[in-house]
Amino acid sequence: MPGHEGPSVYHLLNSNVPPKPLEIPIVESRILDLEYELRKLEDELGRHRAILSPVRRMPREVLGHIFTFLQPFMYGEEVRNAEGRKELVDLSLVCKLWHDATLFAHELWAGLQIKPRHMVESFKPVEAWFSHTGSLRRRLQYDGCHLDDCDAFTDRPRLFDDCGRPSTYLSREPSPCLLATSVLPHLLTRGPPLDHLTLMCSTTECFRQFRDVMESLRDDSANAKPRPWDTLRSLGLQFGSVIYQWNTPVQPTFGLHFAHLPFVESLEIHLPSGLDQVVEDDSEEYDVSRLELGIPRSLIEHLTNLSIHCTWSVPHLLKLLQYCSNVKMLTIEMQHFGRALWDLETQPLVQQYLASPLVLPNLLTLRIRKSRDVDLLHLLKAPQLANLDIEMFPLDPVKDEELAVPIATFLEQSGCAQGFRSFRLGRCIIDAELLFTILSNLPSALATLTLDNLVDVAMHRLWKLFEDNDTARGRSDLCFPNLEKLEILEVPPGYHLDAVVDYIKSRGPSFKFQLVASYKMREQRVLKEKDIRDSLRRAGSGVDANVVPGWPYVLSAA
């Protein structure tokens, strides 16, 4: 090394002698040479270190599992839209290891969303995409409702808003539907097997035209293979609008659009509102018994999971439920602005099931969504019920007869106390006394209690009522003696959980008990969790407490 410096520069390396003017360019040139050599060595060092990188030695199975956390959720489903598909392909192009990892993680390819622009020419690419799923169940979503500008047209100039509607003002014939002319009928006839299909249709008329196309593509020959449409296990139908048939000025009917559904185990039907004004303005002339979904009885009897989102009043629902002998999970979204149950007492089915409740023999989970009241529970009986989940339509404070009485009646006539495990109440305006009445009457077998986004509940008052109740009954006869998990979610800002903590401590040690809480705001939540943990630890309660991020915030608490 010194030999390369030259005698005129070497003496400067081991001394503080300032360089002469002629020596400065020599030193500067040497610095540039050394920097260049240093960069080469650093690059070489980095390449050698990369050989020993943990990421490089990570098994492709682990890397593929990490990639699954990027799985998208389009309208509540794990399916990839055009943007998500591009992201996945870009991920696979990083290197060979990442390419192999994406192909090995079959679940990355198991969910796919298509739109009306995907015509018959799209069949091969869709089939190729699903070829990477291995033996996993495939999910397909057709989205004909949420379209942007680039989705509004296909190669045939047809606006998606006109799907299924009269083609002209004077014509009564509906226009051709993009759903019926898309690649979907061909996929469901000769494509790969599917487990779940969601059809998000512009109108109910679109589905009728699609159904007719599927019937025309049916091969009834002896050697015909089952179509993916016929072997679906799960089906979801969502409609942007409903096209009714008006046989009288105020009496609509609903066509039998669902007469040829596949024999699925899980069915979800979502019909938007559209008759609310008719029901309210012409309540004396309007006959709700005329409205029927027209789902075949044989299909209903085969279902184990049924989800109904419909604004029609109760009778149409009872006509379905009377055949739900095998349904284990039932979701009912009420959201109706029509008649209350007690205004329909003259209806034969309502009278029948008020006298003798409708038995759902295998029902394990009942979910009621967006309801002003739960009067429907008076008509039902579920002897195997384990989970009850009620989410209200929070317009006004609920009254005792709207919530507490129906719940108590339903649980009592069901006789499900021994197997009852969880109760959730969400999006409800309710005071502490009424909430205490509901909760204190729940079966003692209850293991999980969830209070989610409740308004006007004085938490200190509620849990003081429980503490006083337990004191009066004695420690050997606690409320919720088998409770293992208490969730208090979406607590308003400024509310404190001190009363909850005090109540838990008053129950005595319980090493199975878990407290989970979330706030509507992120402020000071980590600190609050530490306070809760310290308080419970000092009391020797053994309770595991967590303050989790409140939706829509993403905040981790240590």
Side-chain angles (χ1 to χ4, degrees):
M1 192 76 177
H4 294 289
E5 300 294 340
S8 61
V9 178
Y10 179 70
H11 68 282
L12 298 175
L13 297 174
N14 299 311
S15 70
N16 292 327
V17 177
K20 298 176 181 179
L22 294 177
E23 293 174 330
I24 292 177
I26 299 174
V27 175
E28 289 175 342
S29 176
R30 185 54 185 158
I31 289 174
L32 292 176
D33 292 341
L34 289 173
E35 287 178 343
Y36 174 73
E37 293 178 12
L38 180 60
R39 284 195 296 269
K40 288 177 60 179
L41 289 173
E42 287 177 341
D43 290 343
E44 191 69 16
L45 177 62
R47 294 175 63 188
H48 279 76
R49 283 177 172 169
I51 297 175
L52 302 179
S53 169
V55 175
R56 185 165 182 164
R57 290 180 288 172
M58 183 180 297
R60 64 177 185 178
E61 295 85 356
V62 176
L63 190 60
H65 180 69
I66 293 174
F67 290 162
T68 62
F69 287 96
L70 301 175
Q71 186 81 334
F73 288 83
M74 294 303 300
Y75 310 111
E77 296 189 40
E78 296 182 12
V79 293
R80 290 193 176 275
N81 61 4
E83 182 180 355
R85 294 193 293 274
K86 184 180 183 301
E87 291 176 352
L88 179 56
V89 172
D90 290 345
L91 198 67
S92 70
L93 296 177
V94 171
C95 63
K96 186 178 185 305
L97 175 62
W98 285 33
H99 178 268
D100 293 344
T102 56
L103 292 181
F104 183 82
H106 298 312
E107 55 266 45
L108 289 171
W109 309 84
L112 182 64
Q113 181 197 78
I114 63 174
K115 292 203 171 189
R117 67 169 180 266
H118 294 100
M119 308 305 291
V120 178
E121 296 78 9
S122 306
F123 181 86
K124 291 292 184 183
V126 172
E127 190 176 40
W129 181 276
F130 276 137
S131 67
H132 300 307
T133 60
S135 60
L136 292 184
R137 294 176 172 178
R138 302 177 179 93
R139 302 177 299 275
L140 183 64
Q141 180 190 87
Y142 172 87
D143 183 8
C145 293
H146 306 88
L147 304 182
D148 51 35
D149 291 341
C150 65
D151 296 316
F153 292 89
T154 67
D155 55 351
R156 307 166 199 182
R158 222 179 266 136
L159 277 171
F160 78 92
D161 278 339
D162 292 335
C163 279
R165 302 184 186 278
S167 54
T168 66
Y169 179 76
L170 298 177
S171 173
R172 301 187 65 87
E173 290 296 322
S175 62
C177 179
L178 297 179
L179 169 59
T181 57
S182 71
V183 70
L184 187 61
H186 301 274
L187 280 173
L188 296 176
T189 300
R190 52 189 178 89
L194 295 173
D195 177 71
H196 173 79
L197 171 67
T198 294
L199 289 178
M200 304 173 72
C201 308
S202 176
T203 68
T204 50
E205 175 62 24
C206 285
F207 180 74
R208 187 194 65 78
Q209 294 189 29
F210 162 78
R211 183 201 63 188
D212 292 345
V213 170
M214 290 303 301
E215 286 300 302
S216 69
L217 294 175
R218 178 188 295 276
D219 184 355
D220 293 324
S221 63
N223 298 325
K225 295 181 179 180
R227 301 180 300 175
W229 169 252
D230 299 317
T231 58
L232 287 171
R233 186 191 61 85
S234 176
L235 175 64
L237 300 174
Q238 301 180 27
F239 302 96
S241 61
V242 180
I243 297 180
Y244 296 94
Q245 300 172 3
W246 293 86
N247 299 329
T248 66
V250 295
Q251 180 56 61
T253 58
F254 185 69
L256 298 179
H257 296 0
F258 306 138
H260 300 285
L261 293 178
F263 218 48
V264 294
E265 298 176 10
S266 176
L267 178 64
E268 176 181 355
I269 295 182
H270 193 144
L271 294 177
S273 60
L275 289 175
D276 304 333
Q277 194 64 36
V278 175
V279 174
E280 292 179 353
D281 292 348
D282 303 284
S283 57
E284 294 183 1
E285 301 178 62
Y286 181 73
D287 182 6
V288 295
S289 65
R290 292 282 300 275
L291 280 175
E292 297 186 32
L293 286 175
I295 303 175
R297 173 178 175 177
S298 57
L299 171 57
I300 300 174
E301 292 176 337
H302 187 253
L303 294 175
T304 58
N305 186 349
L306 175 61
S307 182
I308 295 290
H309 305 255
C310 184
T311 60
W312 301 350
S313 296
V314 170
H316 89 280
L317 186 59
L318 295 176
K319 294 173 186 178
L320 295 179
L321 296 184
Q322 61 184 339
Y323 303 125
C324 290
S325 56
N326 291 304
V327 168
K328 296 181 179 179
M329 179 179 294
L330 175 62
T331 302
I332 303 172
E333 183 171 319
M334 309 292 283
Q335 200 179 356
H336 62 77
F337 299 92
R339 302 171 179 178
L341 176 62
W342 306 117
D343 292 329
L344 301 171
E345 289 181 329
T346 58
Q347 292 292 328
L349 282 180
V350 175
Q351 289 180 331
Q352 176 183 341
Y353 295 127
L354 279 175
S356 178
L358 170 61
V359 179
L360 301 171
N362 290 296
L363 186 65
L364 298 176
T365 299
L366 175 60
R367 296 170 177 166
I368 296 180
R369 293 286 183 267
K370 297 182 180 179
S371 177
R372 289 186 173 184
D373 59 61
V374 290
D375 288 345
L376 177 66
L377 294 180
H378 286 284
L379 309 181
L380 304 180
K381 179 178 180 180
Q384 302 296 323
L385 189 74
N387 312 295
L388 180 58
D389 185 340
I390 297 175
E391 191 170 288
M392 303 297 287
F393 197 79
L395 292 178
D396 302 299
V398 295
K399 302 175 182 178
D400 183 69
E401 64 272 11
E402 295 172 337
L403 191 61
V405 173
I407 290 176
T409 301
F410 173 57
L411 294 176
E412 181 179 357
Q413 65 194 17
S414 293
C416 59
Q418 189 172 358
F420 193 76
R421 290 294 177 266
S422 73
F423 177 76
R424 175 183 175 270
L425 182 62
R427 294 180 58 82
C428 183
I429 303 176
I430 189 171
D431 61 50
E433 284 72 14
L434 180 54
L435 182 56
F436 171 76
T437 300
I438 295 172
L439 301 183
S440 61
N441 288 323
L442 294 176
S444 60
L446 185 74
T448 301
L449 174 60
T450 301
L451 306 178
D452 189 355
N453 199 6
L454 301 187
V455 182
D456 287 347
V457 176
M459 287 291 177
H460 64 283
R461 175 61 178 160
L462 174 66
W463 299 106
K464 186 64 167 62
L465 287 171
F466 277 112
E467 187 173 351
D468 293 344
N469 182 74
D470 286 350
T471 301
R473 296 167 59 176
R475 295 303 171 189
S476 60
D477 189 20
L478 298 174
C479 283
F480 321 128
N482 296 295
L483 193 66
E484 297 179 0
K485 187 174 185 179
L486 173 61
E487 296 180 312
I488 304 178
L489 308 178
E490 298 297 304
V491 178
Y495 276 52
H496 298 288
L497 297 178
D498 297 341
V500 184
V501 174
D502 291 341
Y503 171 67
I504 293 174
K505 290 191 293 186
S506 72
R507 291 170 58 94
S510 174
F511 293 95
K512 289 184 177 181
F513 198 96
Q514 181 182 11
L515 170 65
V516 178
S518 72
Y519 285 77
K520 290 183 179 179
M521 296 184 69
R522 63 182 70 179
E523 59 184 34
Q524 300 178 348
R525 295 288 68 85
V526 175
L527 177 62
K528 189 62 181 177
E529 180 185 27
K530 183 178 183 300
D531 294 341
I532 293 173
R533 285 182 177 274
D534 290 345
S535 179
L536 293 172
R537 187 182 300 110
R538 286 194 296 269
S541 67
V543 173
D544 179 24
N546 295 281
V547 177
V548 299
W551 186 91
Y553 304 108
V554 180
L555 176 69
S556 60

